[in-house]
C-alpha cells in the first residue's frame, strides 16, 4: 500500500470503542471501555478506560475495584493516567477463579465520583470469564505441523552488527510423521526465499547473508505441504549500522551494582478549563538497583498542583527487599491484609513484611495515615433574627462552613497480620486493624468559647449584648458542616486449606468490628452514663478506659458493645459483643472432571464496617453455588449459578428483603484463531420483601403511585414498610475475532448488553437499558502503523420512561512509528451526542392541599412538575508525539482541544485546550 493511501488511512483513522463525553460545566464526564471477552489465567491484561473529557487537575485518585465472583469485598488497584487513558494491569492467578468482576472509579477533588459502568452499584459490576491459559502461537504451530524448533541466532528482538549476522535454527520432529515426498521446508528472509542459499541438513538450517542492510528484518521458516503453507517459526531482529557499532553498548545484561538505574522526568503544561488558565509543572524520578539478595526501588513526584485543601498530590514511595525474608515499603503504599480489613487502599506510612522459615511464619505490619488533615473554612458569623410569638424578635447563632470548606481529620491506621503456613496446602492468619481520626489534626469549633480562641475575627459582626449572651451560654452557638472524628477497630482471622494439588480448596474469613461515629467526647465514664440514664460499674468503666487505646467506646458507637440489664435498682451496663458486629465468609471449591464447583456462605452483620475497606457489603446473609463445566477440550465453557441472599440478619427491621439470582453463561473459545470467540450470558434476579401493596386512601388503581403504604393490624390501619418486588433480567454478549485482510492484521470485538428491571410495586421504579459497543484495531504489516475504529450507543430509560437518555459516540485514533521507531505519533478524534429528556413527578395540587399525607400519590407533570430536554454535541481532538533522541533521552508533546455545543440552548460553553511537554532521561 502506498504512502498516500497510508496517510489517508491515518488521517481518516478509525473510530475507537466507547462513547466520549466532553468535560464541560453542563456535560457530565463519561467513561468508555471495551470489556474483554475473556481473561486468561496467569496472563497480564491491560484494562484501559478512556475519558476524553477528563481534566488531570480535577482527579484525586482512580482505582480499579475487582474480585473473584462472589467474594465478600473488592480489592483495589491504582490506575495511572496518560493523556485521556486510565490504565491498570490485572493478573488473575487463582486456580479456583472462574469469573472476575470489576468496576472503575475516578475520585474528583469536588467530592464527586465518576464510574464505569455508569452509576455502578457493587451488585452490578462488569463480569468477565476467566479461562485457563490458551496455547501460545508456538504451541499451536507444533500441534499443527508436528515440528518444534530452537532459534540459535539471532535471538528474537536483538540487535547485531552487520558482520555478525548468522541466521540459524534447529528442528525437532519425528520423520515418520512428516510425509517427505509431499512436504518440504522453506527459509524466507524479508519475504525472499533463501532456501537454496541456506546450508541445510535434516534438522539444522543456517544462512549467512552478505551486507544485510541496517534496520529491522524478519525471518520466517515454513512447512510446505500439499500446496499449503504452515508457519513453523517467525522472528525479527535488527542490524546495526557499522558506523554506530563502536559507540553501542553490549546487549548483555548490566552487572549488578549498588548504583541505581532510573528515570527522571520533567513536565510542564498550559491548560485552559472553562475559560480559566490552569498551568502546572511537575517532576518525578524512579530509581532501582540490585546486588545479590538485596534490591531496592524509589519513586517521587513533585507538582505545583499540591494544594492544602486536597489530599496529597506530591507522592513518594521507597521499597527494599532482602532475600525472601524481608520486604519494606514506605511512603504512599497499598497494603493488603485480609478481605475483611484492608485490601489495597492507599495509605501514607510503612508496610513491612517478615518471612521466616521458608515462608512458614509471616508477619506483616502497616502503620501510617489513610488521609491527611484539612482545616475547616468557616463563613463569618451572622446572627439570624426571627419573629417569634407576640412580635418578639429572637436571635439564633449558626456558624456554617464555606462552600467546600468542610475539613477532614487526619486518619491514622495501624494494623498487622500474623500468618502460619505457606499457602500451598495450609495457611492461617490473625489480623487486626485500628483506624482512628486525630482529633487534634484540624481546627474544630464546637461552641462560642472555641470560636473566640481560634478565630475571633469570625464574630466581628456581633454586638456587645450578643457576645455577652454567648459568653454566658457558649453552646448556644450551633456549628454546621463540621465533620465528626471516627474510630474503628477490626479483628479478623483467615484460613486456607488446599488439597490434591489445589483441586480441593477451602477458605474462610471471620471478623468483628467496632465503629464509633464520634470519638470527640472520649470514652464512657460513670458521670456520662448517669446523664444517659443508666449505671456503669467501676470495673466496666476501667475496662472501657483500658480498651480506649484500641477504640473509644461511648454513646456514638454504631452498635454499643454493652448489655443493658434492668432491675429494681435501675439499668446497668456490662460488656457484650452483639452479633451485628460480626462477619463471616466461607467458600469450598472442587475442581474435578472438567468441573469447577464452588459453594459459598456469608453472614455480615448490619454494624460490621471497616473504615479501610468501604466495599464490604453489610447486613447480608445467604449462600451461592456455581458450577463451570469445560466441554469439547476446553473450547466451550458452560457456567450455571444460583444465589440466595437476605438482609435484616439481626431481625431488627420490619421487613426482610430476599434476593434470588440465577446466572448462566456460555462461552466458546476455539483453538483455531481464525474462528471468532463468543460469549453469551443471562442473569435473572428477583427481590421481594413480602410486604403487601395496600393504600385505601388513594383512588382505585393508584396504589402503585402512592407515597405511603399501609397495613391492617388488629383492626387499625398502620403505616407499613414500602413494598418491594422487582424482577431484573440482563443479557450480555460479546464476539471477538482476529483476522488478516489486505496485509493488515485486524482485531475486532463487538459487545451488546440489555437490562430490564420491572417493578411490581412502584409504578415508576422500572428501568431499561441497551448498550452496543464496537472496536476494531488494525495493525499494518508493511507500515509501522496502527489504527482504531470504534462506536458506542447507549439508550437508558428510567422511572417507567420518565427519563430517556441516549448517548451516541464515535472515536477515531491511530499510531504511527517513523524514523526507525524513534518517532511515535498518536492522534484521535472523538465525537459524542448526548440527548436527555426527563419529566419529574409531582403530587396533584388538590391532593397535596388536602393536608392528609396518607392519600398522596405521584403523577407525571402534576403540580407544575418540570419537564426538560437537553442535547449536547462534543468534539475532542487529541494528538501526541514521542521522539527518542537516544536510548536515554526522550521528548514528548501532548495536545488536546475540546469543543462542546448545547444544541437546544444558545449559551456559550468555553472551549478547553491543553499543551503539555515532557522530557525523560533514562540512566
Amino acid at each position: 500500500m502506498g504512502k498516500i493511501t497510508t496517510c489517508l488511512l491515518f488521517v481518516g483513522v478509525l473510530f475507537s470503542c466507547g462513547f466520549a463525553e466532553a468535560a464541560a460545566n453542563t456535560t457530565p464526564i463519561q467513561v468508555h471501555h471495551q470489556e474483554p471477552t475473556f481473561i486468561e489465567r496467569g496472563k497480564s491484561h491491560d484494562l484501559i478506560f478512556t475519558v476524553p473529557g477528563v481534566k488531570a487537575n480535577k482527579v484525586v485518585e482512580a482505582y480499579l475495584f475487582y474480585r473473584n465472583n462472589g467474594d465478600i469485598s473488592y480489592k483495589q488497584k491504582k490506575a495511572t493516567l496518560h493523556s485521556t487513558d486510565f490504565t491498570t494491569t490485572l493478573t488473575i492467578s487463582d486456580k479456583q477463579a472462574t469469573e472476575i468482576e470489576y468496576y472503575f472509579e475516578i475520585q474528583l477533588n469536588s467530592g464527586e465520583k465518576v464510574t464505569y459502568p455508569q452509576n455502578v452499584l457493587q451488585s452490578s459490576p462488569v463480569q468477565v470469564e476467566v479461562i485457563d491459559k490458551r496455547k501460545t502461537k508456538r504451541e499451536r504451530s507444533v500441534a499443527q505441523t508436528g515440528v518444534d524448533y530452537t532459534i540459535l541466532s539471532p535471538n528474537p528482538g536483538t540487535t547485531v552488527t552487520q558482520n555478525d549476522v548468522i541466521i540459524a535454527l534447529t528442528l525437532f520432529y519425528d520423520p515418520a510423521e512428516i510425509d517427505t515426498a509431499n512436504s518440504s521446508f522453506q527459509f524466507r528472509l524479508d519475504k525472499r526465499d533463501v532456501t537454496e542459499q541456506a546450508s541445510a541438513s535434516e534438522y539444522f538450517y543456517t544462512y549467512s547473508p552478505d551486507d544485510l542492510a541496517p534496520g529491522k528484518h524478519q525471518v520466517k521458516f515454513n512447512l510446505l505441504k500439499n500446496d499449503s503453507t504452515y508457519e513453523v517459526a517467525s522472528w525479527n531482529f535488527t542490524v546495526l549500522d557499522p558506523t554506530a557499532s563502536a559507540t553501542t553498548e553490549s546487549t548483555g545484561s548490566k552487572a549488578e551494582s549498588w548504583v541505581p538505574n532510573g528515570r527522571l522526568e520533567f513536565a510542564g503544561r498550559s491548560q485552559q478549563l472553562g475559560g480559566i488558565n490552569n498551568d502546572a509543572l511537575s517532576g518525578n524520578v524512579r530509581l532501582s538497583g540490585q546486588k545479590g539478595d538485596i534490591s531496592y526501588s524509589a519513586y517521587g513526584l513533585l507538582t505545583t498542583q499540591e494544594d492544602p485543601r486536597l489530599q496529597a498530590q506530591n507522592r513518594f514511595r521507597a521499597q527494599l527487599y532482602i532475600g525472601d525474608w524481608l520486604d519494606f515499603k514506605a511512603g504512599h503504599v497499598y497494603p493488603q491484609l485480609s478481605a475483611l480489613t484492608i485490601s489495597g487502599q492507599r495509605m501514607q506510612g510503612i508496610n513491612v513484611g517478615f518471612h521466616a522459615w521458608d515462608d512458614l511464619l509471616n508477619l506483616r505490619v502497616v502503620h501510617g495515615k489513610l488521609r491527611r488533615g484539612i482545616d475547616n473554612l468557616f463563613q463569618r458569623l451572622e446572627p439570624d433574627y426571627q419573629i417569634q410569638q407576640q412580635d418578639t424578635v429572637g436571635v439564633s447563632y449558626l456558624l456554617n462552613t464555606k462552600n467546600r470548606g468542610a475539613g477532614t481529620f487526619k486518619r491514622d491506621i495501624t494494623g498487622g497480620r500474623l500468618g502460619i503456613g505457606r499457602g500451598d496446602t495450609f495457611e492461617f492468619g490473625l489480623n487486626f486493624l485500628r483506624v482512628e481520626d486525630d482529633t487534634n489534626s484540624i481546627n474544630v469549633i464546637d461552641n462560642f468559647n472555641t470560636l473566640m480562641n481560634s478565630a475571633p475575627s469570625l464574630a466581628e459582626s456581633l454586638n456587645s449584648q450578643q457576645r455577652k449572651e454567648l459568653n454566658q451560654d457558649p453552646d448556644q452557638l450551633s456549628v454546621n458542616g463540621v465533620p465528626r472524628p471516627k474510630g474503628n477497630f477490626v479483628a479478623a482471622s483467615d484460613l486456607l486449606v488446599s488439597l490434591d494439588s489445589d483441586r480441593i480448596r477451602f477458605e474462610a474469613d471471620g471478623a468483628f468490628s467496632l465503629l464509633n461515629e464520634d470519638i470527640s467526647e472520649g470514652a464512657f465514664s460513670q458521670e456520662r452514663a448517669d446523664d444517659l440514664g443508666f449505671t456503669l460499674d467501676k470495673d466496666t468503666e476501667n475496662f472501657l478506659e483500658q480498651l480506649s487505646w484500641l477504640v473509644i467506646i461511648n454513646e456514638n458507637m454504631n452498635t454499643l458493645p454493652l448489655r443493658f440489664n434492668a432491675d429494681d435498682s435501675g439499668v446497668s451496663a456490662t460488656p457484650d459483643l452483639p452479633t451485628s458486629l460480626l462477619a463471616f465468609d466461607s467458600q469450598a471449591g472442587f475442581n474435578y472432571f472438567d468441573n469447577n464447583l464452588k459453594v459459598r456462605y456469608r453472614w455480615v452483620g448490619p454494624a460490621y464496617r471497616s473504615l479501610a475497606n468501604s466495599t464490604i457489603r453489610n447486613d447480608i446473609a445467604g449462600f451461592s453455588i456455581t458450577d463451570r463445566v469445560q466441554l469439547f477440550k476446553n473450547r466451550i465453557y458452560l457456567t450455571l449459578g444460583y444465589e440466595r441472599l437476605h438482609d435484616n440478619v439481626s431481625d431488627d427491621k420490619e421487613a426482610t428483603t430476599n434476593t434470588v439470582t440465577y446466572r448462566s453463561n456460555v462461552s466458546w473459545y476455539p483453538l483455531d484463531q481464525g474462528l471468532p470467540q463468543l460469549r453469551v450470558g443471562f442473569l435473572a434476579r428477583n427481590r421481594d420483601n413480602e410486604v403487601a401493596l395496600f393504600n385505601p386512601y388513594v383512588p382505585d388503581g393508584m396504589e402503585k403511585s402512592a407515597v405511603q403504604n399501609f397495613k391492617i393490624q388488629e383492626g387499625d390501619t398502620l403505616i407499613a414498610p414500602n413494598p418491594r418486588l422487582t424482577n431484573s433480567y440482563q443479557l450480555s454478549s460479546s464476539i471477538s475475532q482476529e483476522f488478516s485482510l489486505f496485509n493488515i492484521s485486524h482485531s475486532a470485538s463487538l459487545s451488546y448488553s440489555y437490562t430490564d428491571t420491572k417493578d411490581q410495586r412502584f409504578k415508576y421504579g422500572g428501568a431499561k437499558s441497551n448498550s452496543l459497543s464496537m472496536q476494531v484495531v488494525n495493525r499494518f504489516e508493511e507500515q509501522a502503523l496502527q489504527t482504531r475504529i470504534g462506536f458506542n450507543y447507549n439508550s437508558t430509560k428510567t422511572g417507567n420512561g420518565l427519563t430517556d437518555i441516549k448517548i451516541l459516540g464515535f472515536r477515531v485514533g491511530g499510531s504511527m512509528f517513523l524514523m526507525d521507531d524513534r518517532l511515535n505519533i498518536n492522534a484521535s478524534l472523538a465525537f459524542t451526542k448526548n440527548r436527555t429528556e426527563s419529566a419529574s413527578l409531582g403530587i396533584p395540587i388538590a391532593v397535596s392541599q388536602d393536608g392528609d399525607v396518607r392519600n398522596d400519590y405521584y403523577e407525571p407533570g402534576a403540580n407544575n412538575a418540570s419537564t426538560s430536554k437537553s442535547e449536547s454535541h462534543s468534539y475532542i481532538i487529541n494528538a501526541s508525539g514521542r521522539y527518542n533522541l537516544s536510548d536515554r533521552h526522550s521528548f514528548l508533546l501532548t495536545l488536546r482541544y475540546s469543543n462542546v455545543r448545547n444544541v437546544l440552548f444558545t449559551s456559550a460553553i468555553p472551549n478547553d485546550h491543553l499543551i503539555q511537554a515532557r522530557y525523560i532521561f533514562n540512566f
Side-chain angles (χ1 to χ4, degrees), residues 677-702:
Q677 300 162 357
L678 302 171
R679 178 182 62 86
V680 178
F682 180 76
L683 179 145
R685 176 175 288 139
N686 172 270
R687 286 193 172 101
D688 186 3
N689 65 1
E690 299 182 350
V691 174
L693 179 65
F694 177 67
N695 189 326
Y697 303 102
V698 299
D700 290 342
M702 301 303 295

Side-chain angles (χ1 to χ4, degrees), residues 697-728:
Y697 303 102
V698 299
D700 290 342
M702 301 303 295
E703 292 86 354
K704 291 185 178 181
S705 302
V707 175
Q708 291 185 344
N709 193 58
F710 298 88
K711 63 181 178 180
I712 302 295
Q713 184 172 319
E714 297 180 355
D716 297 326
T717 302
L718 305 176
I719 296 177
N722 288 326
R724 182 171 190 177
L725 178 57
T726 61
N727 294 300
S728 298

Side-chain angles (χ1 to χ4, degrees), residues 171-190:
L171 306 179
F172 304 93
Y173 61 90
D174 184 353
E177 297 181 1
I178 302 290
D179 184 3
T180 56
N182 299 301
S183 304
S184 62
F185 292 111
Q186 181 188 57
F187 208 151
R188 298 179 68 87
L189 174 62
D190 297 333

Side-chain angles (χ1 to χ4, degrees), residues 92-124:
I92 305 300
S93 56
D94 187 348
K95 294 181 181 179
Q96 293 285 339
T98 59
E99 189 176 61
I100 196 74
E101 299 178 334
Y102 67 85
Y103 67 92
F104 176 68
E105 180 179 282
I106 303 172
Q107 302 171 7
L108 304 179
N109 55 29
S110 64
E112 300 175 51
K113 294 182 179 180
V114 180
T115 63
Y116 181 92
Q118 190 177 14
N119 300 321
V120 68
L121 298 174
Q122 292 185 13
S123 58
S124 57

Side-chain angles (χ1 to χ4, degrees), residues 21-27 29 52-58 84 270-278 874-878 894-901 908-915:
E21 190 64 43
N25 294 334
T26 59
T27 309
I29 297 175
V54 71
K55 300 179 176 74
N57 67 309
K58 300 294 184 182
T84 59
S270 173
Q271 187 175 29
Q272 182 170 293
L273 304 172
I276 301 175
N277 289 328
N278 184 260
S874 63
Y875 302 85
I876 300 177
I877 300 173
N878 285 283
T894 301
L895 307 173
R896 186 168 76 229
Y897 173 83
S898 65
N899 172 274
V900 182
R901 184 169 62 92
I909 300 174
N911 298 327
D912 294 338
H913 69 260
L914 165 70
I915 302 175

Side-chain angles (χ1 to χ4, degrees), residues 828-878:
S828 66
L829 169 65
F831 167 77
T832 296
K833 177 182 177 181
N834 190 327
R835 183 177 179 86
T836 302
E837 298 181 15
S838 63
S840 62
L841 290 171
I843 300 174
I845 296 178
V847 177
S848 62
Q849 290 180 343
D850 182 81
D852 188 352
V853 296
R854 297 177 301 176
N855 62 4
D856 288 349
Y857 60 90
Y858 295 111
E859 278 191 346
N863 200 1
N864 297 320
S866 62
T867 59
S868 63
K869 292 183 180 181
S870 66
E871 181 176 332
S872 62
H873 295 174
S874 63
Y875 302 85
I876 300 177
I877 300 173
N878 285 283

Side-chain angles (χ1 to χ4, degrees), residues 515-533:
L515 175 66
N516 193 322
E517 300 285 358
D518 187 351
I519 62 174
S520 59
E521 299 294 330
F524 261 139
S525 64
Q526 290 182 330
E527 292 77 14
R528 183 61 179 161
D530 290 340
D531 294 340
L532 295 174

